């Protein structure tokens, strides 16, 4: 299933020494696999690996684990999407499990040199979480000895939970 494949990928990254893992998928809790996923998150955290996941794009509140995984899991940094004005994107999931917001808006109003062709760029929390994962990796390239909680703290300080992103 989705969770067993995700766990295999997470274990692969942990064993190979990853510092940041982007979990760009989502699923509802699967009874037989949820404990395995939870144990893998704890293992990743014990090894100092930052797990970053999008909050999702259904425009609903996400609750603490169990629920929508990986976004609702304890030990995963969950990222919602903000719009161009720094407010929570209308389609982004939200709730107590969201750690921070990051840009996730569409740039679809850009036009190509030919007026009849528009450049379409998708939007959502998947992009927001990818930006946060990249920022974390960049930060670790400068300060590789930072502990997981230091990194989480810096990322949270650089953004606001109320739906306004810090650019």
């Amino acid at each position: 299933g989705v969770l067993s494949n995700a766990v295999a990928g997470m274990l692969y990254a942990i064993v190979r020494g990853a510092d940041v893992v982007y979990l760009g998928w989502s699923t509802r809790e699967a009874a037989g696999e949820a404990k395995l996923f939870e144990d893998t998150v704890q293992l990743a955290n014990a090894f100092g690996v930052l797990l970053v996941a999008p909050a999702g794009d259904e425009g609903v509140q996400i609750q603490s684990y169990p629920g929508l995984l990986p976004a609702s899991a304890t030990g995963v940094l969950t990222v919602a999407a903000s719009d161009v004005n720094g407010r929570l994107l209308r389609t982004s999931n939200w709730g107590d499990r969201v750690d921070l917001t990051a840009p996730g808006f569409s740039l679809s109003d850009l036009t190509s040199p030919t007026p009849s062709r528009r450049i379409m760029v998708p939007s959502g929390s998947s992009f927001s979480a990818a930006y946060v994962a990249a920022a974390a990796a960049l930060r670790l390239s400068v300060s590789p000895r930072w502990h997981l909680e230091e990194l989480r703290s810096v990322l949270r300080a650089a953004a606001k939970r109320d739906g306004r992103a810090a650019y």
Side-chain angles (χ1 to χ4, degrees):
V2 171
L3 284 180
S4 59
N5 288 335
V7 165
M10 292 164 64
L11 291 172
Y12 180 88
I14 294 166
V15 168
R16 300 290 185 288
D19 295 313
V20 179
V21 177
Y22 169 72
L23 304 175
W25 51 272
S26 68
T27 188
R28 295 285 169 194
E29 176 187 3
E33 299 175 316
K35 176 73 168 116
L36 178 61
F37 176 76
E38 183 180 317
D39 291 346
T40 306
V41 169
Q42 290 177 5
L43 179 68
N45 289 175
F47 275 84
V49 178
L50 179 68
L51 302 174
V52 181
D57 299 304
E58 294 84 30
V60 299
Q61 181 177 12
I62 54 173
Q63 306 294 325
S64 294
Y65 179 82
L68 183 67
L69 293 176
S72 66
T74 301
V76 173
L77 188 77
T78 301
V79 184
S82 64
D83 65 17
V84 71
N85 296 311
R87 290 186 291 268
L88 190 66
L89 194 64
R90 180 181 46 84
T91 57
S92 182
N93 291 352
W94 53 276
D96 291 342
R97 275 301 307 126
V98 172
D99 293 289
L100 55 96
T101 61
F105 50 86
S106 173
L107 301 176
S108 61
D109 60 339
L110 295 176
T111 57
S112 69
T114 308
S116 63
R117 299 174 122 187
R118 297 189 63 81
I119 299 171
M120 299 302 290
V121 179
S123 61
S125 64
S126 293
F127 297 95
S128 305
Y131 294 142
V132 170
L138 183 60
R139 182 68 234 181
L140 285 173
S141 73
V142 175
S143 304
R145 295 180 188 209
W146 273 18
H147 295 284
L148 181 58
E149 285 310 313
E150 290 175 296
L151 183 57
R152 282 184 181 155
S153 178
V154 165
L155 290 170
R156 286 182 183 126
K160 298 181 173 125
R161 285 191 76 219
D162 66 358
R164 294 180 179 267
Y167 296 108

